[in-house]
Amino acid sequence: MITIENLVKDFGAKRAVDGISFAVERGEVLGFLGPNGAGKSTTMRMITGFMPPTSGRITVGGHDIEAEPIAAKRLIGYLPENAAAYPDMTVGAFLRFSAEVRGLAGEARKRAVSRAVERCFLESVLHQSIDTLSKGYRHRTCLAQALIHDPDVLVLDEPTDGLDPNQKHEVRQLIRELGRSKAIVFSTHILEEVDAACTRAIIIDRGKIVANGTPEDLRAMSTLHGAVTLQAQGAMKEDLEALGRVEQVGEAFRIFPKADQTPAQLAQAVVDLVGRRSWRVEGMYSERGELDEVFRRITLPDTAQAR
Amino acid sequence: MKIVWTLVKRELGAYFASPIAYVFLVIFLLLTGFFTFTAGNFFERGEASLAAFFGWHPWIFLVVVPAVGMRLWAEERRSGTLELLLTLPIATWQAILAKFLASWLFLGLALFLTFPAVLTVNVLGSPDNGVIAAGYLGSFLLAGTYLAITCMTSAMTRNQVVAFIVSIVICLFLVLAGFNPVTDLLVRWASPAVVDTIAAFSVVTHFDGLQRGVIDTRDLVYFASVIGFSLFATSVILRAHRSG
């Protein structure tokens, strides 16, 4: 539904987005990760047609965003950063306006508004003006606006920013549910959201894609991935070192796999060793890898260089 | 066109959502009333016309119209709703036109509410109502011209006060270029042809004709072209802003 080729955006001499390419199909939820100022919002603004790219091409549902902006924008629902909405309108009036401006009228408009209200749990504030809403409700109002015309493509800029943990959970669930039938791109800097909602994640840093894959793929990039952590009475570091590099973590040992070893092979080797030595195991698990470690490792070195 | 109307409705709604619209209407009517009847010596003139009423409009509008139009784009930029508006499936010109029309209609309503002045002069004497109608047309076009300029300055900034002041300055230039005390001063340094050329850029020169009841195509073209130019400039400014 969304294809992006060699997208570049310059702000004066500064290159904010530097040759990004990716595609998002229907049924995919793409998490867009990166440190602040990495170019996430700029990319989203270009996808939604707010900002023209310096070079590169974006198509949404086959429509080039620059050549056929209106056809492309019709397919998109957009939640901008900070969830802007007209403060002087009531929630109901704002949603009716959003529906009308998207070409919905009469019964269709009524249905669209009530569906969006239901999905985003807005019944209780329907007649309240937007500037009196709490941040969570304002966010949901803006999200409802993005969903009002049941778009094929959703672009959400930090949809869970400023929400409390329960609301975050609801929004993530909503994204996952919607992702079955739509193409969704959402940006975040909360890594747990990748697990909670994404089918795929892209990490960008200073305008470039530095990682692209499923949450599992990204986790596999972790140095921790496949390591076995073992806590056992009588375990000796020296014995374990025969299997691979060993690190002591508190009372436990963490054994890292050798280059050609799969996580399963290492785990089997550790179990065999434990059996031979008859150690009493108190805990043992295979590490999946930590996303924030991956995130830090691939985004930090560059920032350090920049200093 | 339907989309433009949807946007116009929203903009008009935004005016009346707060008490500001009503406060504004009252202030506008008090101002025109004061200038017409007190400062304009309406009764002492001894003529059945609204010259005292229309004569003040270029000056009253100078403050009033920028106050109405300053929020049009500046507020959208400040609150971030500009991003929402310009990612809707609409063309930028539709948004520009809708905002302009909504404010123009609002100013039209304010002008309409001055009808007691027309009634007064009709009760007291028998004025030429054709002249009065032309005067209203001139006032409406004048308001539109100031408003289009305010649209343009409003798109330049996220600060309404800046938009307000800059549009007053530009509109003041357009008034002064044809204001008699100024043209009299200019004649001392420049040839009459130059002074006439400068005065031709002034709203006052073109407003005067309509006020006297003369609907000259050249005047209409003047107002239409200033409005057209300013709205086009608005689209250029918005495009530049979006490009970063």
Side-chain angles (χ1 to χ4, degrees):
Chain A
M1 290 301 288
I2 308 174
T3 59
I4 291 175
E5 291 161 30
N6 284 318
L7 193 64
V8 173
K9 179 74 198 176
D10 292 333
F11 293 120
K14 189 176 170 280
R15 183 152 285 193
V17 174
D18 190 0
I20 283 182
S21 305
F22 63 85
V24 188
E25 293 310 321
R26 199 186 280 277
E28 266 192 302
V29 180
L30 177 72
F32 214 47
L33 297 148
N36 287 329
K40 298 190 295 285
S41 290
T42 307
T43 306
M44 297 192 134
R45 285 178 178 151
M46 287 191 279
I47 297 173
T48 52
F50 178 68
M51 254 179 198
T54 305
S55 69
R57 207 173 108 89
I58 300 171
T59 63
V60 177
H63 303 287
D64 188 302
I65 192 79
E66 284 194 287
E68 306 167 79
I70 294 178
K73 285 172 179 177
R74 247 184 222 128
L75 301 173
I76 305 175
Y78 179 37
L79 172 74
E81 204 180 8
N82 303 325
Y86 292 110
D88 45 41
M89 298 177 100
T90 64
V91 173
F94 178 62
L95 293 180
R96 279 193 296 277
F97 162 73
S98 305
E100 198 178 325
V101 87
R102 299 260 183 198
L104 297 165
E107 268 305 304
R109 186 178 78 163
K110 230 179 251 170
R111 267 201 310 276
V113 170
S114 62
R115 196 191 49 217
V117 165
E118 203 177 306
R119 257 188 186 160
C120 300
F121 311 100
L122 291 167
E123 289 92 348
S124 57
V125 294
L126 204 51
H127 303 291
Q128 213 170 313
S129 85
I130 289 172
D131 58 356
T132 63
L133 296 180
S134 68
K135 196 166 179 188
Y137 272 116
R138 212 187 58 201
H139 229 92
R140 267 145 52 183
T141 304
C142 200
L143 185 62
Q145 163 277 134
L147 298 174
I148 198 108
H149 53 302
D150 200 20
D152 286 339
V153 174
L154 270 176
V155 179
L156 312 171
D157 202 349
E158 300 194 359
T160 58
D161 182 47
L163 302 184
D164 70 33
N166 292 335
Q167 295 167 335
K168 277 191 176 132
H169 178 73
E170 277 162 21
V171 168
R172 280 175 208 155
Q173 221 163 16
L174 182 66
I175 291 174
R176 209 168 36 200
E177 195 187 303
L178 293 167
R180 283 186 215 128
S181 56
K182 301 179 193 306
I184 301 182
V185 181
F186 81 94
S187 74
T188 178
H189 43 237
I190 305 169
L191 289 155
E192 48 188 289
E193 271 172 10
V194 175
D195 274 321
C198 295
T199 58
R200 197 152 61 88
I202 283 179
I203 302 181
I204 71 169
D205 186 33
R206 294 202 284 144
K208 286 198 167 90
I209 293 182
V210 290
N212 181 354
T214 63
E216 283 311 315
D217 291 343
L218 293 185
R219 226 184 244 108
M221 294 170 70
S222 168
T223 50
L224 226 53
H225 177 74
V228 172
T229 303
L230 172 74
Q231 189 172 348
Q233 273 181 19
M236 305 282 280
K237 196 176 176 190
E238 292 73 35
D239 292 330
L240 290 167
E241 262 163 357
L243 303 172
R245 192 167 63 80
V246 179
E247 212 173 66
Q248 188 147 12
V249 187
E251 293 193 358
F253 296 103
R254 183 172 290 158
I255 308 110
F256 292 90
K258 292 181 187 136
D260 54 349
Q261 210 171 16
T262 65
Q265 284 170 340
L266 177 68
Q268 190 56 50
V270 174
V271 170
D272 289 348
L273 181 71
V274 168
R276 279 204 302 278
R277 305 285 153 119
S278 342
W279 292 332
R280 277 193 52 207
V281 175
E282 288 164 345
M284 177 179 156
Y285 49 91
S286 189
E287 302 277 356
R288 299 167 67 203
E290 281 172 15
L291 279 175
D292 54 340
E293 191 240 320
V294 176
F295 184 81
R296 245 172 309 150
R297 197 159 46 84
I298 56 185
T299 59
L300 248 186
D302 290 353
T303 7
Q305 264 171 28
R307 277 195 199 111
Chain B
M1 238 27 223
K2 222 178 120 215
I3 281 182
V4 174
W5 177 236
T6 305
L7 295 170
V8 166
K9 272 194 301 185
R10 201 213 71 77
E11 282 299 327
L12 274 176
Y15 278 116
F16 290 100
S18 69
I20 294 172
Y22 304 99
V23 171
F24 169 84
L25 287 175
V26 169
I27 290 178
F28 173 74
L29 294 176
L30 285 177
L31 271 180
T32 47
F34 169 77
F35 277 105
T36 308
F37 293 104
T38 310
N41 299 324
F42 177 77
F43 294 111
E44 288 82 353
R45 281 172 179 243
E47 53 183 75
S49 82
L50 283 180
F53 170 71
F54 290 120
W56 289 102
H57 282 185
W59 301 97
I60 297 175
F61 285 174
L62 199 55
V63 182
V64 160
V65 175
V68 170
M70 64 184 181
R71 50 167 278 283
L72 284 179
W73 294 101
E75 180 63 16
E76 298 256 2
R77 281 181 64 158
R78 195 191 55 77
S79 68
T81 44
L82 185 64
E83 220 170 302
L84 213 57
L85 181 68
L86 295 182
T87 52
L88 289 173
I90 55 170
T92 307
W93 69 262
Q94 288 174 316
I96 293 172
L97 186 68
K99 278 181 175 287
F100 173 75
L101 284 181
S103 301
W104 206 15
L105 282 176
F106 180 70
L107 288 167
L109 171 71
L111 263 181
F112 172 76
L113 290 177
T114 61
F115 68 88
V118 182
L119 297 183
T120 308
V121 76
N122 270 295
V123 168
L124 295 177
S126 45
D128 184 342
N129 281 318
V131 174
I132 291 177
Y136 268 106
L137 175 67
S139 274
F140 191 53
L141 288 172
L142 180 72
T145 304
Y146 285 2
L147 183 66
I149 289 166
T150 310
C151 265
M152 178 178 75
T153 59
S154 180
M156 287 178 194
T157 170
R158 49 194 292 148
N159 186 331
Q160 296 191 31
V161 178
V162 173
F164 179 70
I165 291 170
V166 175
S167 39
I168 287 183
V169 170
I170 296 175
C171 295
L172 188 63
F173 266 109
L174 288 186
V175 173
L176 292 182
F179 187 49
N180 283 339
V182 175
T183 46
D184 291 349
L185 211 65
L186 283 178
V187 165
R188 295 192 209 162
W189 296 301
S191 69
V194 174
V195 176
D196 279 348
T197 312
I198 293 173
F201 281 101
S202 170
V203 285
V204 175
T205 318
H206 300 279
F207 179 65
D208 276 345
L210 284 160
Q211 219 196 117
R212 286 196 307 270
V214 184
I215 300 179
D216 187 333
T217 324
R218 281 175 298 178
D219 295 335
L220 302 183
V221 167
Y222 168 81
F223 287 116
S225 52
V226 177
I227 292 173
F229 171 81
S230 300
L231 294 184
F232 175 70
T234 307
S235 78
V236 172
I237 291 164
L238 285 176
R239 195 179 315 143
H241 169 63
R242 286 162 80 174
S243 304

